[in-house]
Amino acid sequence: MRDGTPIGGAPGVPPDPPDSATAVVDDRGVVTGWSAGAERLLGYPRHEALGSPVGHLIASGAGNGDGLAALSESGTTTLLRHRDGRPVEVRVRSYPSVDHEGRAQRLLVVTVPEQPPPDLVTADEAFAQCRLPLMVYDPALRAVRASAGAVRELGLREDRMCGRRVTDILPPHLCHRVEDGMARVLVTGETEHFQVRGRARPDAPEKVWSVTVAPLVSPAGQVRHLEVSALDVTEQHLARERLALLNDISAQVGSTLDVMRTAQEMADAAVGRLADFVTIDLLDSLFRGVEPKPSGTGRVPLRRAGQRSVLPGAPEALIQPGDVDDYPESAPPVRCLATGRSSLHGTEDAAIRDWQRADPHRAGVVSRFGIHSIMVVPLRARGITLGVAVLVRHRREDPFTRDDLLLAEEIAARAAVAVDNARRYTLERGTALALQRSLLPSRPAAQQAVEVAHRYRPARTRAGLGGDWFDVIPLSGARVALVVGDVVGHGLRASATMGRLRTAVRTLADVELPADELLTHLDDLVTLLAAEEDSTADHEPDLEVPTSLIATCLYVVYDPVSRRCTAASAGHPPPAVVRPQGAAEFVDVPPGPPLGVGGLPFETVEWELPADSLLALYTDGLVQDTAHNLDSGLEQLLQCLGHAGSRPLETVCDELIRTLLPASPQDDVALLLARTRMLDADRVATWDLPSDPALVADARARVLARLDAWGLREAAFVAELVVSELVTNAIRYGQPPIRLRLIRGTTLICEVSDGSGTAPHLRRARTYDEGGRGLLLIAQLARRWGTRHHAGGKTIWAEIELTERDR
């Protein structure tokens, strides 16, 4: 360099040593050489630095002018100016040299002074000051180190903990699980994670800790110590518990549409997870489905709908579910009902003290069980306060917090919606049930052909009531019609349709139609009803009207005089019969198509049925359910009827319902049992009459003689007039053969049959008419009268009331 030989990429500038920069300055103080390191250090590119005075590179305040005279090979510390204006402290060493022409110059080597090493925190200091509870244990499971966080949480100095086991430091309910984990890690060398809940020291609040036990291994891979750390996850754990509780409330509360069951489900879900004892009290009108009204001043009676305790049998309760609790006006539950706002209390609050003074029995419970924290929460839904929930703590030491109150309010809000749904369902179901029961016979009509018993059981599902019905219809000639039917579907529509069909059956039975013809007319009616609903749907598109309307029906007529049954079925299950001293069996009645299907005729079947036979008519809900299929249900029905014998029909009905139906039937059930009677020959008198008007007097005489033999002298006058008119009309307007029949039952029945199909009718006779008053006279004297047609002609009949003594 002293001979001016250039080194590196720039003439006269040697390459930069590591972490340094070089420059060449001639004897005039002008920069003649500039290295890449100098460019990096001061930011001046080479073309700007060359030719500039070196003084421009020295920061103001450096104190040495151009600084060249003071520079030496040993190095001088000075300030240079960076291109952006900031000063850069450097150390400069100057070496004299000459260029290739022999002129004097200097080689400047610039380096940045080394910074002093940072003040590093030692590992021991970091461990000691760690805010996380952290401890180190030796293979004997004795503590050797404890962090500041461990000292704070455990309330012991590090020197007091060293040399002690976990069982000597932590409470018993925490230490055993932690020490068991440490023992496993010491053997397996695998890190373990688990959670513990409790107090780290007696005076600390209960917390949830996420504990990690990790091995500390030597370079040879041997476990020399154990590291135990604990992270406070109380808030996260409580948040998960609250979310889980709310999820369970949503899933469990409201599983049924029963007010009591819904309230009890809320109490069951909250106890043990939020409170130690919970009561749910509802306004009494809810149990009738009525919307609650604001109560006046004074004591408020509330019905206990549900309660639950962590103690067996809920000994804290003063009343049992279903009973009424009478709260004083000053009690927090009453204020909660009035304001609709929840409240949080300790037992020292003035409101709780006033409540205890007004209710000594409740005060005794508070004292005996150590109740210390109380929440009173309203059950509100759709802007209506339905009741109040009271949650207390006595086993859990921590009092309720505001977060607990918010959680209880959310639980109560969800439960209140379920309770209100149950209340509305109760009201709607009660309305539908009242409608259906009003359409069913409350008491079968009096008749003498059969002894009857019946049962109706509505479905216990949310689908609503169905359209099952039954009826007992007295017919002429002491006969009786037994009817069961089922409208497919549930709800008010099915019930209303059932009522219309029952009315139609009664009307058609009154005109004495045969069974198959009656079902044909009924089928036409169902088809007409379906067409009307179609028309309603077309004209009112916003009204959803189901158009499919199908029903089944079984119509059975029993004659106690001839002891014969006639039946026809429209897709209905067959009747079952138990004859005296015989086994139960089904009658093979052609099923026919259901009503509303149309297209096929209905068929009748006739069979003889002795007196004291049992006849069972039913709907499919009795023999078909989730518990058994149709075949097994029919088999069980026959088995039960086979043991009926002569037992009372009411007992047989109860046994059938109890045996065949589940606790909550999925479909409506109608059951009608009839035990047949027989009118003995001495209660029936029959005469064949010639078509001769002169023999009317003879017919009257025969009737009077039979009535005298029966002891019915008080009915003789009316019977004589009725028989005279009926026989005269048959001889005058009818055709042979003519038959007169008297039947003595609860009434006296007079029947005259002839071979003509022409039906008589009432007419108003003029003043001077010689005839035309016979039927009018019969209508005035008889209790009821009518005409029935049969294959051989017609029968005109009249019933005459008997006195109590004559029956």
Side-chain angles (χ1 to χ4, degrees):
M1 293 180 63
R2 291 184 182 275
D3 58 3
T5 304
I7 302 175
V13 180
D16 293 334
D19 301 324
S20 65
T22 57
V24 177
V25 181
D26 63 12
D27 56 355
R28 295 174 300 169
V30 176
V31 176
T32 59
W34 193 255
S35 70
E39 183 176 345
R40 288 193 301 271
L41 179 63
L42 298 178
Y44 294 100
R46 184 170 180 275
H47 69 273
E48 288 186 13
L50 293 179
S52 62
V54 71
H56 292 172
L57 302 177
I58 300 174
S60 60
N64 56 356
D66 61 13
L68 295 178
L71 298 178
S72 65
E73 293 185 9
S74 61
T76 303
T77 302
T78 187
L79 294 176
L80 298 181
R81 181 187 294 110
H82 194 274
R83 189 169 185 267
D84 60 11
R86 58 185 172 84
V88 179
E89 184 178 9
V90 297
R91 186 166 184 79
V92 182
R93 288 174 293 174
S94 176
Y95 300 95
S97 175
V98 295
D99 61 10
H100 60 283
E101 294 181 355
R103 292 191 295 270
Q105 61 180 13
R106 288 177 179 270
L107 174 64
L108 305 180
V109 179
V110 182
T111 58
V112 178
E114 292 184 2
Q115 298 295 328
D119 186 12
L120 298 178
V121 177
T122 65
D124 284 346
E125 291 173 327
F127 183 91
Q129 298 179 32
C130 177
R131 307 299 295 173
L132 180 71
L134 182 64
M135 297 188 69
V136 176
Y137 288 83
D138 62 17
L141 303 184
R142 298 186 181 278
V144 295
R145 293 297 309 272
S147 69
V151 171
R152 181 185 67 253
E153 294 295 340
L154 297 174
L156 296 173
R157 297 195 311 269
E158 184 179 14
D159 59 345
R160 295 286 304 275
M161 288 186 279
C162 289
R164 301 172 67 178
R165 297 174 67 97
V166 176
T167 52
D168 301 325
I169 300 174
L170 291 178
H173 61 282
L174 295 179
C175 64
H176 295 297
R177 187 174 183 190
V178 175
E179 190 166 75
D180 290 345
M182 294 168 61
R184 289 191 300 271
V185 173
L186 195 63
V187 173
T188 65
E190 299 291 335
T191 301
E192 286 200 12
H193 305 275
F194 50 88
Q195 284 190 353
V196 295
R197 182 171 185 167
R199 290 176 170 81
R201 60 179 188 275
D203 59 340
E206 186 179 71
K207 293 183 178 181
V208 179
W209 302 93
S210 176
V211 178
T212 300
V213 180
L216 298 178
V217 298
S218 66
Q222 295 179 342
V223 179
R224 298 177 57 183
H225 291 82
L226 297 175
E227 175 191 88
V228 180
S229 62
L231 181 64
D232 184 358
V233 294
T234 306
E235 290 301 322
Q236 298 90 319
H237 180 79
L238 292 178
R240 286 194 299 270
E241 279 191 336
R242 293 186 179 103
L243 288 175
L245 179 55
L246 289 177
N247 181 68
D248 291 345
I249 290 290
S250 299
Q252 299 172 12
V253 177
S255 61
T256 66
L257 288 174
D258 180 84
V259 173
M260 294 283 288
R261 178 71 178 273
T262 301
Q264 186 60 49
E265 287 170 344
M266 174 186 170
D268 293 343
V271 164
R273 302 169 70 176
L274 179 61
D276 296 328
F277 177 56
V278 175
T279 63
I280 312 294
D281 295 326
L282 302 176
L283 294 170
D284 193 53
S285 59
L286 283 176
F287 297 89
R288 302 187 303 274
V290 180
E291 184 172 305
K293 298 279 193 312
S295 60
T297 58
R299 302 178 73 88
V300 177
L302 293 170
R303 189 171 297 277
R304 180 64 47 84
Q307 62 186 24
R308 185 67 182 270
S309 170
V310 294
L311 302 177
E316 309 97 321
L318 295 176
I319 61 174
Q320 296 302 313
D323 297 339
V324 174
D325 202 351
D326 200 17
Y327 287 97
E329 184 179 4
S330 61
V334 176
R335 289 202 298 271
C336 176
L337 286 173
T339 63
R341 293 193 295 270
S342 57
S343 56
L344 177 61
H345 305 276
T347 51
E348 298 303 319
D349 292 356
I352 301 300
R353 291 200 303 269
D354 293 342
W355 188 8
Q356 294 184 71
R357 281 195 294 268
D359 195 341
H361 294 292
R362 210 173 304 270
V365 170
V366 171
S367 174
R368 184 164 66 254
F369 291 96
I371 294 174
H372 61 84
S373 190
I374 302 171
M375 291 192 296
V376 182
V377 183
L379 272 70
R380 289 179 57 83
R382 302 177 179 93
I384 304 171
T385 302
L386 309 174
V388 62
V390 178
L391 300 89
V392 304
R393 280 184 179 175
H394 54 75
R395 293 286 294 273
R396 192 181 301 189
E397 297 180 6
D398 295 335
F400 289 119
T401 65
R402 285 292 169 184
D403 288 339
D404 294 328
L405 184 61
L406 292 175
L407 177 61
E409 289 174 343
E410 181 66 25
I411 294 173
R414 300 189 183 193
V417 172
V419 168
D420 192 53
N421 287 339
R423 190 267 308 174
R424 291 156 67 95
Y425 172 76
T426 299
L427 178 61
E428 293 174 5
R429 178 179 172 81
T431 302
L433 190 57
L435 170 63
Q436 189 173 47
R437 292 198 181 279
S438 70
L439 298 174
L440 291 172
S442 57
R443 185 181 296 108
Q447 43 77 40
Q448 55 194 3
V450 293
E451 174 195 357
V452 296
H454 58 86
R455 292 291 184 273
Y456 172 76
R457 292 292 182 270
R460 295 289 182 180
T461 65
R462 300 185 184 185
L465 300 174
D468 293 20
W469 92 91
F470 65 91
D471 210 344
V472 179
I473 308 172
L475 301 177
S476 64
R479 298 170 305 139
V480 66
L482 306 174
V483 191
V484 289
D486 182 4
V487 178
V488 175
H490 292 83
L492 291 177
R493 172 179 178 262
S495 296
T497 303
M498 174 270 290
R500 300 172 78 173
L501 293 182
R502 176 173 174 259
T503 302
V505 170
R506 277 191 162 267
T507 302
L508 295 171
D510 272 347
V511 298
E512 303 282 357
L513 287 178
D516 54 346
E517 292 186 24
L518 183 143
L519 291 182
T520 299
H521 285 283
L522 205 60
D523 181 57
D524 294 339
L525 174 61
V526 172
T527 303
L528 178 61
L529 293 177
E532 289 179 352
E533 291 187 350
D534 283 343
S535 176
T536 301
D538 292 339
H539 289 86
E540 299 182 39
D542 294 336
L543 183 63
E544 293 187 6
V545 179
T547 56
S548 58
L549 182 57
I550 297 177
T552 64
C553 183
L554 175 64
Y555 186 80
V556 179
V557 177
Y558 173 69
D559 186 344
V561 177
S562 65
R563 302 189 305 278
R564 297 197 65 81
C565 267
T566 304
S569 173
H572 203 83
V577 171
V578 185
R579 291 178 172 82
Q581 310 305 322
E585 60 182 353
F586 291 112
V587 180
D588 187 14
V589 180
L595 301 175
V597 175
L600 293 174
F602 299 100
E603 300 180 41
T604 60
V605 64
E606 187 174 344
W607 72 97
E608 186 173 345
L609 199 58
D612 293 327
S613 295
L614 182 61
L615 190 61
L617 286 73
Y618 52 91
T619 55
D620 59 356
L622 181 69
V623 294
Q624 187 174 16
D625 202 87
T626 55
H628 49 73
N629 57 31
L630 179 61
D631 291 338
S632 62
L634 292 173
E635 183 64 29
Q636 290 184 45
L637 174 61
L638 289 182
Q639 291 177 3
C640 292
L641 290 175
H643 299 94
S646 60
R647 288 184 299 168
L649 293 185
E650 296 293 336
T651 302
V652 178
C653 277
D654 291 338
E655 182 179 341
L656 289 174
I657 294 296
R658 184 172 55 253
T659 304
L660 296 176
L661 288 187
S664 298
Q666 302 297 306
D667 194 7
D668 287 22
V669 173
L671 171 64
L672 179 61
L673 297 183
R675 180 168 281 137
T676 61
R677 296 169 178 156
M678 182 183 68
L679 292 179
D680 297 330
D682 60 352
R683 299 174 67 90
V684 180
T686 305
W687 299 278
D688 291 326
L689 304 176
S691 183
D692 184 357
L695 296 178
V696 173
D698 182 60
R700 288 200 300 267
R702 294 183 183 184
V703 168
L704 290 176
R706 179 51 61 100
L707 294 181
D708 185 63
W710 283 345
L712 302 180
R713 296 181 180 86
E714 294 185 15
F717 174 73
V718 174
E720 182 182 10
L721 290 177
V722 169
V723 168
S724 178
E725 291 297 332
L726 290 179
V727 172
T728 300
N729 282 343
I731 293 174
R732 181 177 299 175
Y733 303 109
Q735 297 176 2
I738 298 174
R739 175 173 292 181
L740 170 63
R741 185 170 71 164
L742 295 182
I743 302 174
R744 179 188 176 185
T746 55
T747 62
L748 178 63
I749 303 172
C750 302
E751 295 183 344
V752 176
S753 303
D754 68 84
S756 172
T758 303
H761 62 278
L762 285 173
R763 68 182 181 87
R764 183 183 297 275
R766 295 184 178 87
T767 304
Y768 300 103
D769 286 348
E770 294 183 0
R773 297 180 179 86
L775 290 181
L776 181 60
L777 180 63
I778 292 174
Q780 296 295 320
L781 296 176
R783 189 178 73 166
R784 64 186 188 122
W785 73 280
T787 304
R788 68 174 181 268
H789 293 268
H790 45 78
K794 68 177 181 297
T795 299
I796 304 176
W797 56 270
E799 289 186 7
I800 300 172
E801 195 74 53
L802 296 179
T803 62
E804 239 0 273
R805 187 177 61 183
D806 291 338
R807 293 177 183 173

